[in-house]
Amino acid sequence: MDMAVMERGNKTFSIILTFCIMFAFWMLLSAWTVYLVEPYDLFIVSSKGILAAIIVSFLTYEIFVPSRGENVILKLRRFIPYVGWELWQIYLATIDVAKRVYGILEVDPQIIEFDTTLRSDFALVTFGNSITLTPGTITIDIEPERGRYIVHAIAKGPADSLTVDQTMQKKVGHVFMEE
Amino acid sequence: MIIPFLVVGIIIASTILVCSYRAIYGPGTFNRIVAANVIGTKAIVLLIVVGYIIERPQFIDIALMYAVIAFMGTIIIAKYVERGELCSR
Amino acid sequence: MLAIDVVATMFLAAGAFFMITGTIGLLKFPDFYTRMHATGKCDTLGQILIIVGCMIYEGFTLITIKLLMVSAFYLLAGPAGGHALMKAAYVTGLPVWKKGDKRM
């Protein structure tokens, strides 16, 4: 993220948005029940929260609000069914590892490399995280220029489902519109 | 309702003891780092369960802070072992 | 015993079973990379199941939101820490175990 690109209006908006989110978070965690009981003590209690939120938002406002991308609302709307599919895959992954520990399936590890068509930061990280949460595979390294992944698989079955079938590449490419 | 929490607490404490075998005897550096990470994860769960047994809900804040610090510790050690130094100038 | 107590006990039992499986995998597997598979997946899900069991037992108070935050943070941070360790080991040159080698 280049600091020279950010204009003055964008900087003020980032600080105010970060401050609002940090203060709402603080109120949720600590002062919620006090507010419901006695409204007079609200300002004395929440002054500590306002001070903490101001300090944190001045230190970290560049990281928290992302720079403008294209079609952010459409990507966010397609992202939520993808998270649901991923939670189901976490459950399948744990059952698979339990079978390999108790000796029902076999252990035969190998290392695979392949290329994809994803290029932006957020899409690469999401795909790498999904490979780690799928049964039988863990990401080792990512090269962002060619979209090349190095993956360690625990047997031949999960390794084939990444290189031959390519179900997950199509899903992530559909969410981020195949960048 | 205290009995299920007591049983789960005893099971997790005994798995922490079993895991320390890998921390002592693991050949090389990386096996010991993995064992320390696993012991940290189980310690967070043990804090929450003990908070339910003795009926003091303040232990959950301690568990939240310890989760953040343990995650940061793992990433810093991985970066140090990979490069041989922490900040590169 | 109410119905909520029975459901919470089932979640707690499932979480404890997955934690035991993760520890047996840490002792039994022959190599560093395969041990990372066992702990990175089984440990994370076992912890989430135990915390969901505590949340069901509690109801709708402030403590439920704090427990939800601990479990959501660990769902994102557990696999990420495991991947960082694995990359450090691969770049430094730790040998990979193939089928038929000696146990290391």
Side-chain angles (χ1 to χ4, degrees), chain C residues 11-82:
Chain C
F11 271 98
L12 280 176
F17 167 69
F18 279 125
M19 282 220 162
I20 293 180
T21 306
T23 310
I24 294 182
L26 185 66
L27 290 181
K28 188 178 169 191
F29 277 155
D31 186 23
F32 165 71
Y33 296 97
T34 46
R35 282 169 199 153
M36 206 70 214
H37 270 271
T39 63
K41 296 183 190 182
C42 271
D43 234 3
T44 308
L45 189 76
Q47 179 178 12
I48 288 176
L49 279 179
I50 290 184
I51 294 185
V52 165
C54 289
M55 267 165 51
I56 289 180
Y57 174 66
E58 185 74 27
F60 276 125
T61 62
L62 183 63
I63 297 182
T64 310
I65 299 181
K66 284 190 189 171
L67 286 171
L68 184 69
M69 256 169 230
V70 173
S71 70
F73 174 73
Y74 228 85
L75 187 61
L76 292 175

Side-chain angles (χ1 to χ4, degrees), chain A residues 40-170:
Chain A
Y40 170 68
D41 276 333
L42 174 66
F43 183 66
I44 302 179
V45 168
S46 62
S47 61
K48 309 168 194 156
I50 292 179
L51 187 65
I54 285 180
I55 292 179
V56 169
S57 68
F58 264 105
L59 289 176
T60 62
Y61 69 92
E62 309 155 12
I63 309 177
F64 198 66
V65 178
S67 55
R68 285 174 210 270
E70 311 161 349
N71 285 338
V72 178
I73 306 279
L74 182 64
K75 284 180 191 171
L76 217 64
R77 223 176 38 178
R78 280 186 187 173
F79 195 62
I80 300 186
Y82 181 71
V83 169
W85 182 77
E86 202 172 296
L87 285 176
W88 172 244
Q89 292 292 108
I90 294 177
Y91 166 71
L92 283 183
T94 321
I95 301 279
D96 184 74
V97 171
K99 282 184 189 169
R100 289 188 205 277
V101 163
Y102 287 121
I104 302 179
L105 299 170
E106 63 168 10
V107 174
D108 182 18
Q110 20 201 292
I111 296 193
I112 321 171
E113 300 187 12
F114 59 92
D115 285 338
T116 57
T117 61
L118 311 166
R119 289 293 179 269
S120 77
D121 272 348
F122 195 49
L124 285 173
V125 164
T126 306
F127 190 51
N129 220 9
S130 310
I131 289 184
T132 306
L133 292 173
T134 311
T137 48
I138 292 189
T139 314
I140 292 184
D141 203 354
I142 308 178
E143 270 181 47
E145 289 144 26
R146 287 178 294 173
R148 161 169 283 233
Y149 281 81
I150 304 181
V151 165
H152 175 270
I154 206 170
K156 216 136 186 25
D160 280 342
S161 90
L162 259 188
T163 51
V164 175
D165 287 346
Q166 298 203 345
T167 47
M168 253 197 323
Q169 274 107 316
K170 288 184 195 136

Side-chain angles (χ1 to χ4, degrees), chain B residues 24-74:
Chain B
I24 298 176
Y25 280 106
T29 315
F30 290 100
N31 290 306
R32 293 183 173 108
I33 300 179
V34 165
N37 203 9
V38 167
I39 291 180
T41 302
K42 292 197 208 284
I44 297 171
V45 177
L46 193 61
L47 268 175
I48 294 179
V49 168
V50 164
Y52 268 99
I53 292 177
I54 65 177
E55 289 179 16
R56 280 180 180 265
Q58 287 91 354
F59 276 37
I60 299 176
D61 301 324
I62 305 179
L64 186 60
M65 284 312 302
Y66 187 64
V68 176
I69 290 181
F71 169 62
M72 264 173 44
T74 303

